[in-house]
Amino acid sequence: MKMLINVAETVVTDALRGMAAAHPELTVDVENRVIVRRDAPVAGQVGLVSGGGSGHEPLHGGFVGPGMLSAACPGEVFTSPVPDQMVRAAAAVDSGAGVLFIVKNYTGDVLNFDMAAELAEDEGIQVAKVLVNDDVAVTDSLYTAGRRGTGATLFVEKIAGAAAQEGQPLERVETLARQVNESSRSFGVALSACTTPAKGSPTFDLPPGELELGIGIHGEPGRERRAMMTSREIADFSVNAVLEDLNPRNPVLVLVNGMGATPLLELYGFNAEVQRVLTERGVAVARTLVGNYVTSLDMAGASVTLCQVDEELLRLWDAPVRTPGLRWGI
């Protein structure tokens, strides 16, 4: 496979150097692999720290900035960051108001963030943790015990980030983050496998003319494999899988998320079908976001995330945000 890289061993380091050059509003510690908003710590504000394996960009580093994350810790491709990164990040953003760790439910991430929380608390930093586990496709996978954390991570980071930006206390920011996770569900579909730089070939075999329903963001197996379906059929299957589990009574935020290689032309067409299903099912839509936000390298495909919102969650979603990957109102 052709890739725009030097060598596989320096992919993450090279990307961080490039990110630092493109975004002077961030402090990018390339050696220790920590990305921090330049004005951190912000007096009176809870610090928000997340992270995970690289390859899902703009998640997480692209969501660092006012109104969202205070810091992010990128690991190697599809590999958890280490506790030392997370402790450095927590120390860099702690203003005395505490730090919230936002953790996707993957075994390595959970174990390392748990260890980092203990180490940070030993250094006098108050830490709370929220686990994101929104994927309805499968209960357990190659990388998880329980449901995987996927597209809802964006909703959690944005809404909790807005609350922190307002100066709300750690307990309240944590509660809101948990509410967002509990109110969110996702389902993803792969049209092709992704290719990691280290392997240089597709991570799994998906024959031409077939797709995988319920895929994870690392290429984990889903619910089933079928012959290729139309956008309309995929929307019917995906949205109904989410609604069977969520059953929203309030309006929803909609994320139609590309997995990395699907063009916006197709994503917007897919969104039209997603909106059709929601209308047919009587689900009111408050806001919609379409694009590549929680990706899987060069995988073709898409995921749908719905988050049921009340007035406060919607207000926090609409609040200004200024990050490399998400920006409005500023």
Side-chain angles (χ1 to χ4, degrees), residues 186-209:
S186 296
F187 191 90
V189 177
L191 309 183
S192 72
C194 62
T195 301
T196 62
K199 189 173 186 223
S201 60
T203 53
F204 62 95
D205 177 42
L206 187 56

Side-chain angles (χ1 to χ4, degrees), residues 23-41:
H23 297 287
E25 72 275 16
L26 303 177
T27 299
V28 181
D29 184 339
V30 176
E31 181 180 356
N32 294 300
R33 297 189 177 183
V34 179
I35 302 163
V36 183
R37 52 185 283 186
R38 187 168 289 278
D39 61 352

Side-chain angles (χ1 to χ4, degrees), residues 108-153:
D109 290 5
V110 172
L111 292 174
N112 287 346
F113 270 103
D114 283 348
M115 186 180 301
E118 294 178 7
L119 294 171
E121 287 169 349
D122 288 343
E123 296 186 8
I125 302 171
Q126 183 184 5
V127 176
K129 302 187 298 292
V130 170
L131 190 69
V132 181
N133 57 351
D134 55 303
D135 181 30
V136 302
V138 293
T139 300
D140 297 303
S141 75
L142 299 177
Y143 291 78
T144 63
R147 290 181 166 179
R148 302 174 290 209
T150 56
T153 312

Side-chain angles (χ1 to χ4, degrees), residues 3-19 28 30-31 33 54-55 57 74-77 196-199 297:
M3 292 185 175
L4 192 63
I5 65 173
N6 293 316
V7 293
E9 292 76 13
T10 65
V11 166
V12 176
T13 299
D14 292 345
L16 289 174
R17 290 193 297 110
M19 189 174 198
V28 181
V30 176
E31 181 180 356
R33 297 189 177 183
S54 297
E57 289 75 20
E76 287 293 338
V77 173
T196 62
K199 189 173 186 223
L297 292 169

